[in-house]
Amino acid sequence: MQLSRNLSTSSTSAAAGGRSRASLAAALLLAGSVGGAGVALCLSPQEAAALQGAAGTSEPKEPDLWDRWASIKAFLGGWRKGSPPSEVPLPVDKLKCHLQPGGYSLERYHPAVLVLCGSFNPPTFMHLRMMELAQQALAKAGFDVLGCYMSPVNDAYWKAALAAGRQRVRMCQLATADSETIMVDSWEVEQRQYTRTLFVLQRVERELGALFSAGTTPAPAEPAAGACPPTPPRVVLVCGADVLHSMADPTLWRQDLLETLLRNHGVVCISRTGSDTARLLDKPGTLLNTYRRNVTVVEEPVPNEISSSRVRHELERGHSVRYLLPDSVARYIYSNGLYNTAQQRPRLLHLGEPKRRSPIYVMDPTLGILVDAWDLATPPIMHDPCCD
């Protein structure tokens, strides 16, 4: 999210405007001196001279103050963390290729990796369902989906009620702990400012490209199929209908970046009931229409209206959110008092350790007594009469 402020002055308000801008300039210049880097506002030479005199500084000011706006943005962007952003390694532990025994053709082999960007505030079963539907759609289209990533947005997104980035990363990790394909990339959260969606996709593409170039390929899902091909995967964006609708508005996306995203990466859109998303691709003269072959719209066959905002609303009202998101995520929310839950305790959600499985008593052949089968080092194979 790029924030811009249109500053305009007129001859009738020059004095008042000059005073307010000088005050803001003094504040930022002081902050710059504390931070160890000079910060200058976009002032006219006359205003800069007046500010210099008011500050009692004898050192001459640089004349190109208009060109130093980047230094202000860098200062403000680094204010939150106070240290250079760390390079976060891309998780690759769940990447797998799915080859059929008997070989493959490089011309017909099309690997892909899915990336779902969002606030995940908090992550719900709907987010996991979106990834499942996207994998299924690309597999039907002939792609080998090696894995999926959830990329929580940076704190600088400034969304209302947004939990801290590292807390959202942790909730995503808990939500995907049992997934065989979904990983969590915390790189976007660890940056010093908001990162555009295209740059997140390019970063994943760059990291995977380096991995494949070094000769490191994913393990095959079926060992009998042999080693995975060294073909770098296509990185595809997964999004909801609201994001695709925003792409149709040229005032919300930089068109050059959107064109690169649609041309080089593509989109799988999971459409909610009644969103009428497909019509967006039919409007002539739009980028979505131009690159419609790179956009896959998937209609959710089982209507699901779960959303993070609705979950937060239920949490704030003290209602149970069980079966709307994984229990591990709910426990984390209550344990950390997120979303105004510090003084609440849910009535229908057990917050302790996951319940132990019901005991199954069997005869221990060594001791000659009944013991719980789950306490044995090697539990016996149990047969359910209803399912044999």
Side-chain angles (χ1 to χ4, degrees):
M1 176 179 61
Q2 300 296 323
L3 301 179
S4 62
R5 186 180 300 274
N6 295 324
L7 301 176
S8 61
T9 59
S10 63
S11 58
T12 58
S13 60
R19 286 193 298 270
S20 61
R21 293 173 68 188
S23 299
L24 180 58
L28 281 180
L29 285 171
L30 176 60
S33 63
V34 173
V39 181
L41 277 180
C42 299
L43 304 177
S44 65
Q46 292 79 6
E47 291 170 333
L51 179 61
Q52 177 180 349
T57 306
S58 57
E59 298 180 0
K61 292 290 183 180
E62 296 183 12
D64 57 338
L65 294 176
W66 288 93
D67 296 331
R68 299 184 61 191
W69 176 239
S71 64
I72 299 176
K73 292 194 293 184
F75 167 74
L76 295 177
W79 198 352
R80 180 173 62 90
K81 296 189 183 300
S83 59
S86 57
E87 283 299 324
V88 180
L90 183 72
V92 296
D93 54 297
K94 296 182 180 180
L95 292 180
K96 287 183 174 61
C97 63
H98 308 84
L99 302 176
Q100 297 296 328
Y104 58 89
S105 171
L106 280 178
E107 292 77 11
R108 297 184 178 182
Y109 181 69
H110 306 290
V113 163
L114 300 175
V115 178
L116 176 61
C117 297
S119 58
F120 306 111
N121 190 41
T124 71
F125 282 129
M126 184 60 192
H127 293 122
L128 306 181
R129 177 65 176 165
M130 290 174 66
M131 299 298 267
E132 186 72 13
L133 291 173
Q135 292 182 71
Q136 179 177 270
L138 285 193
K140 287 183 177 180
F143 286 89
D144 181 10
V145 181
L146 307 182
C148 311
Y149 292 98
M150 295 172 69
S151 180
V153 74
N154 190 277
D155 289 340
Y157 188 59
W158 293 343
K159 187 176 182 178
L162 187 66
R166 291 178 180 176
Q167 290 179 319
R168 289 180 286 113
V169 166
R170 182 54 185 156
M171 285 190 285
C172 289
Q173 291 171 340
L174 291 171
T176 60
D178 295 331
S179 171
E180 297 180 353
T181 59
I182 306 176
M183 297 162 282
V184 182
D185 184 15
S186 62
W187 177 84
E188 188 178 352
V189 160
E190 295 299 329
Q191 301 312 295
R192 294 169 66 174
Q193 63 273 330
Y194 171 77
T195 304
R196 293 181 182 271
T197 302
L198 172 63
F199 302 149
V200 175
L201 301 181
Q202 290 177 336
R203 182 260 174 174
V204 174
E205 183 179 57
R206 185 169 58 250
E207 292 293 320
L208 292 178
L211 187 73
F212 277 70
S213 297
T216 304
T217 57
E222 297 292 338
C228 294
T231 305
R234 183 186 185 102
V235 179
V236 182
L237 176 68
V238 179
C239 70
D242 55 340
V243 174
L244 199 68
H245 275 269
S246 72
M247 291 180 178
D249 187 344
T251 65
L252 297 180
W253 286 73
R254 270 185 53 180
Q255 296 299 284
D256 58 332
L257 300 185
L258 178 59
E259 183 172 14
T260 302
L261 189 155
L262 294 174
R263 181 182 64 244
N264 297 347
H265 298 279
V267 175
V268 178
C269 173
I270 311 301
S271 179
R272 291 181 182 269
T273 304
S275 62
D276 195 20
T277 306
R279 67 176 178 82
L280 298 175
L281 307 180
D282 298 330
K283 187 177 180 180
T286 64
L287 290 175
L288 289 177
N289 179 262
T290 302
Y291 295 99
R292 62 181 303 159
R293 295 187 61 182
N294 291 345
V295 179
T296 302
V297 177
V298 181
E299 296 287 345
E300 167 60 271
V302 181
N304 185 341
E305 297 301 321
I306 298 175
S307 69
S308 296
S309 59
R310 291 181 177 181
V311 170
R312 292 197 306 272
H313 180 68
E314 293 300 296
L315 288 168
E316 291 167 357
R317 297 177 64 186
H319 292 173
S320 170
V321 292
R322 198 168 195 182
Y323 309 121
L324 298 177
L325 70 174
D327 282 355
S328 58
V329 176
R331 283 193 291 269
Y332 184 89
I333 290 173
Y334 282 103
S335 299
N336 291 273
L338 302 181
Y339 313 119
N340 297 325
T341 60
Q343 304 302 322
Q344 301 175 13
R345 189 169 185 83
R347 292 170 293 180
L348 302 178
L349 177 63
H350 175 64
L351 290 180
E353 293 298 323
K355 290 185 178 180
R356 190 170 181 268
R357 298 190 64 167
S358 299
I360 301 176
Y361 293 105
V362 297
M363 182 65 69
D364 188 307
T366 303
L367 301 177
I369 60 175
L370 291 175
V371 297
D372 186 353
W374 303 111
D375 289 335
L376 298 178
T378 307
I381 298 176
M382 308 304 297
H383 296 281
D384 191 336
C386 74
C387 303
D388 285 348

